[in-house]
Amino acid sequence: MASTSAEIIAFLLTISGWVLVSSTLPTDYWKVSTIDGTVITTATFWANLWKTCVTDSTGVSNCKDFPSMLALDGYIQACRGLMISAVCLGFFGAIFGLVGMKCTKVGGSDQTKAKIACLAGLIFILSGLCSMTSCSLYANRITSEFFDPSFVAQKYELGAALFIGWAGASLCIIGGSIFCFSIAENSNSPRRAYAYNGATSVMSSRTKVHNSVPDKTPPKHFDKNAYV
């Protein structure tokens, strides 16, 4: 029962993490920067993996998509590939997790379901690592440009999408680790021992039946001539 509850918790954690990672991919604010006036913010610059935009004080946004995928910076291409891989791995991990859980009726025996659940855990861990690497790589580029005194272009700060991606990756890794422990719990569970009683012989069974039936024959009385 404890193992089933742990698998349900792991499934909820991994699904929540996968949803967060999937929502990070189209989120706008991967990096953000503002230009402040004397009273209000005059403009907000923000960008993600697909476009860069500027929003003025009236709320009007002007966006420009990246013109060519091959002309992009290497870190943006790497982040795109890692995030797409994380979303795809999370999808397959969710399918294997449903099959491998003990509360479902598909997947075969308990040993087979434990192996499938462990595989789902490994896939979710890999998905979380992909998302974590993508967000960390993007954040490293932002921080390196921000603290570089020789960088004279527009400097950005960390956007909300990076924190959502880190949270989703952490949930995927934690839930996947719990899934991996399910195979260890299944192997350590005690097995029922069946004692084998050898087949009794026909004579022993007859003797047992004979001994169980009381002898109701009356005792014999002998006269005096029987001892002569």
Side-chain angles (χ1 to χ4, degrees), residues 123-139:
I123 293 175
F124 273 118
I125 291 175
L126 186 58
S127 174
L129 291 176
C130 289
S131 177
M132 186 78 70
T133 304
S134 175
C135 295
S136 300
L137 180 61
Y138 200 90

Side-chain angles (χ1 to χ4, degrees), residues 28 31 44-55 61-68 72 76 80 156:
D28 294 332
K31 60 181 180 180
T44 301
F45 296 89
W46 51 271
N48 57 10
L49 299 178
W50 315 101
K51 59 186 177 181
T52 179
C53 300
V54 58
T55 304
S61 299
N62 294 319
C63 297
K64 179 182 179 182
D65 296 331
F66 295 133
S68 174
L72 289 175
I76 295 181
R80 281 184 179 183
Y156 291 88

Side-chain angles (χ1 to χ4, degrees), residues 192-206:
R192 293 183 179 180
Y194 295 94
Y196 174 74
N197 296 325
T200 57
S201 60
V202 178
M203 293 300 296
S204 61
S205 61
R206 289 180 179 178

